[in-house]
Amino acid sequence: MNNFDQSFSFLNLLEQPQLQKLQDRSSIVGEVFSFCLDPQGKQLTQVSGSEEETQLLFQYIDMEQGLDVCRRTHASLIEDLQVEDTYYPWIKIAAVDVKVSGKSSVTWCYCAILSDCMTQEEVKESGFTRVTTTENFMRFLDLSADVNR
């Protein structure tokens, strides 16, 4: 007999301030922007990243595009990790869904500025300091997915 409570959620382990702190720290390590959705698809945390760079990011992408990727991953019965292109080849959006007993617990939403898809001059001109490479972004996503399984 399994005594595991079917209503268990990642949210049972962490309160919102702790969740924000965990997200902020992992975003620094991964050099990404991120936020988290609850099981109903509602945004739980603020976007990690400096306010200046976050505002700059939203000049390039629409928050709805990021939410859409995350909500589709959240609703998927098969995929717990999705990566999508944006209009800009150097910006990628990804989502990692944490499922417990087949039900979504939280969805981590990520956005990366990929320096290897731009020249050094373009990186400098973009105004972003939180940048990563495609390889490092994929490693970060794999780690995030593994940790959250």
Side-chain angles (χ1 to χ4, degrees), residues 10-20:
F10 195 79
L11 301 175
N12 297 78
L13 298 176
L14 299 172
E15 297 295 323
Q16 197 280 340
Q18 295 164 314
L19 196 62
Q20 184 73 51

Side-chain angles (χ1 to χ4, degrees), residues 7 13 16-17 29 33 35 38 41 49 70 88 115 130 132-133 146:
S7 66
L13 298 176
Q16 197 280 340
V29 170
F33 299 88
F35 60 93
D38 72 6
C70 296
Y88 301 94
S115 61
R130 187 173 284 208
T132 189
T133 64
D146 287 346

Side-chain angles (χ1 to χ4, degrees), residues 2-147:
N2 184 351
N3 292 332
F4 186 70
D5 180 2
Q6 295 299 316
S7 66
F8 175 81
S9 167
F10 195 79
L11 301 175
N12 297 78
L13 298 176
L14 299 172
E15 297 295 323
Q16 197 280 340
Q18 295 164 314
L19 196 62
Q20 184 73 51
K21 189 176 183 178
L22 173 67
Q23 172 191 297
D24 290 344
R25 288 183 175 174
S26 67
S27 293
I28 289 168
V29 170
E31 294 286 352
V32 298
F33 299 88
S34 64
F35 60 93
C36 185
L37 301 180
D38 72 6
Q40 289 72 44
K42 182 180 144 220
Q43 189 172 339
L44 276 175
T45 59
Q46 298 299 312
V47 176
S48 293
S50 73
E51 186 174 330
E52 182 180 292
E53 280 192 294
T54 300
Q55 289 177 357
L56 180 60
L57 177 66
F58 291 135
Q59 291 176 15
Y60 289 97
I61 64 165
D62 185 326
M63 180 67 157
E64 277 306 308
Q65 183 181 12
L67 286 169
D68 184 52
V69 173
C70 296
R71 288 180 180 138
R72 277 187 281 113
T73 306
H74 170 86
S76 175
L77 297 174
I78 300 169
E79 296 293 328
D80 63 352
L81 169 62
Q82 290 189 40
V83 180
E84 287 201 5
D85 295 331
T86 67
Y87 176 78
Y88 301 94
W90 45 274
I91 300 177
K92 299 285 187 219
I93 298 174
V96 174
D97 192 57
V98 180
K99 290 183 174 37
V100 176
S101 298
K103 294 175 80 175
S104 183
S105 179
V106 296
T107 305
W108 295 102
C109 307
Y110 301 108
C111 184
I113 308 301
L114 305 174
S115 61
D116 55 330
C117 296
M118 300 189 285
T119 65
Q120 288 297 338
E121 176 107 1
E122 289 171 322
V123 172
K124 190 175 182 178
E125 288 175 4
S126 75
F128 289 103
T129 58
R130 187 173 284 208
V131 297
T132 189
T133 64
T134 302
E135 181 179 1
N136 286 342
F137 184 49
M138 297 311 292
R139 286 180 180 168
F140 175 80
L141 293 175
D142 287 342
L143 176 63
S144 181
D146 287 346
V147 166

